[in-house]
Amino acid sequence: MLNDIDARRLRDFLELKTGIFIDDEKLRKIYKRKYEEFMQKNGFDNFYALYSQLVHGKDSKLLQEFINLSTVNETYFFREAYQFDTLVEEVLPKLHQIRPLDESINILAAPSSSGEELYSIAIYIMEKIPQIFAKRDFVLVGIDIDSSMIKKAKEGLYTKRSIAKLPSHILLKYFKQKGNLFEIDKQLRDGLTFKVVNVLDFYAMKRLGKFDVIFSRNMLIYFDEKTKQKILATFHALLKPQGYLFLGHAEKVPFDMKIFRRVKIGKSILYQKVENVS
Ligand SMILES: C[S@@+](CC[C@H](N)C(=O)[O-])C[C@H]1O[C@@H](n2cnc3c(N)ncnc32)[C@H](O)[C@@H]1O
């Protein structure tokens, strides 16, 4: 139904819109079939009808569905928890000291996928630094391009697999079991903001405001070098002075990008915003 050339056209269009690059092998083995099913489900019997709807059409729902089916959303609570330790033991106490007390500390998870990472950060703050949490407002925002993940994050209902790394006292304190699923505490859910935003959309990103800390873990690995640098420049613009960027363990700011200073704090490597780069 979909030949290799047309499958590649869809793949290239996806990369242009989202930054996500799918290599030829994955395209052949996984995505070609997904795209065929997508065409069938949406009543397209030829590639060109679909492609022109995606590229020129006004059907943003179709485009959103196409994007949702192309993303990799793997995440879970307390993933690579040593970074959360660094956040609450070192980074937030430091920022708490240097920021005026009437200013909130703002944290962005970009991408948040279905919310586990941002909820983990909230739990770490409440559990590990209650003395700072009592004195200071925190604003926690999660964004993702995949609308089905943002819906899930807002619902706050998680599978056993998602919560597997949580200590039992945390599970008991912050979750209610509902059949096979675990529902996160409503108060916690209401305290966080989740939005559908494409990190490539600079103006939508800027509208989110300024942040003290940005977590961007396990997304940049899907992007080519040029796109990655563009997004890192966006993060730099969104960070407040002396703000910090956490990346996934397989991700790095390129050595020649001087807008960030690489620092080792606790067990984590992270990146601090550099002002006035000449
Ligand atoms: C593997 S998940 C990472 C989730 C979480 N940060 C973690 O490490 O557990 C990658 C997420 O990146 C999102 N993503 C991919 N391209 C994006 C883009 N251009 N803008 C925003 N989110 C994007 C995907 O939808 C997916 O949910």
Side-chain angles (χ1 to χ4, degrees), residues 88-99:
V88 295
E89 286 165 12
E90 312 270 352
V91 170
L92 293 178
K94 241 185 224 154
L95 289 169
H96 179 58
Q97 273 191 350
I98 62 171
R99 302 288 193 235

Side-chain angles (χ1 to χ4, degrees), residues 65-84:
E65 214 186 303
F66 173 69
I67 291 172
N68 290 0
L69 118 139
S70 310
T71 55
V72 178
N73 311 112
E74 164 75 3
T75 188
Y76 48 88
F77 284 93
F78 287 23
R79 181 179 197 180
E80 286 161 39
Y82 67 95
Q83 292 188 319
F84 302 134

Side-chain angles (χ1 to χ4, degrees), residues 25-78:
E25 195 187 343
K26 277 202 193 116
L27 183 65
R28 217 178 39 251
K29 288 191 178 155
I30 304 167
Y31 287 90
K32 195 163 170 268
R33 188 150 35 86
K34 278 193 182 196
Y35 292 157
E36 284 172 348
E37 284 165 8
F38 176 70
M39 281 174 72
Q40 224 163 19
K41 184 181 156 226
N42 287 287
F44 292 99
D45 57 3
N46 74 79
F47 164 76
Y48 286 100
L50 169 67
Y51 193 69
S52 71
Q53 269 297 317
L54 287 176
V55 177
H56 308 295
K58 300 262 177 284
D59 190 349
S60 56
K61 209 168 142 244
L62 186 79
L63 177 61
Q64 184 66 62
E65 214 186 303
F66 173 69
I67 291 172
N68 290 0
L69 118 139
S70 310
T71 55
V72 178
N73 311 112
E74 164 75 3
T75 188
Y76 48 88
F77 284 93
F78 287 23

Side-chain angles (χ1 to χ4, degrees), residues 75-81 84 114-121 123-124 156-167 170-171 174-175 182-184 188 217:
T75 188
Y76 48 88
F77 284 93
F78 287 23
R79 181 179 197 180
E80 286 161 39
F84 302 134
S114 38
E116 289 89 327
E117 184 176 63
L118 197 66
Y119 284 124
S120 300
I121 292 172
I123 293 171
Y124 258 76
L157 271 175
Y158 294 101
T159 60
K160 237 186 179 140
R161 187 159 175 264
S162 238
I163 53 101
K165 285 248 158 71
L166 287 176
I170 296 289
L171 193 60
Y174 294 98
F175 293 79
F182 296 83
E183 185 179 47
I184 199 148
L188 191 52
R217 304 191 305 171

Side-chain angles (χ1 to χ4, degrees), residues 18 20 71-76 79 111-113 117 143-146 149 197-200 217-219 222-223:
T18 68
I20 302 167
T71 55
V72 178
N73 311 112
E74 164 75 3
T75 188
Y76 48 88
R79 181 179 197 180
S112 66
S113 189
E117 184 176 63
I143 62 124
D144 202 283
I145 199 169
D146 186 331
M149 290 302 117
V197 176
N198 181 351
V199 288
L200 286 183
R217 304 191 305 171
N218 307 304
M219 172 185 70
Y222 298 103
F223 296 167

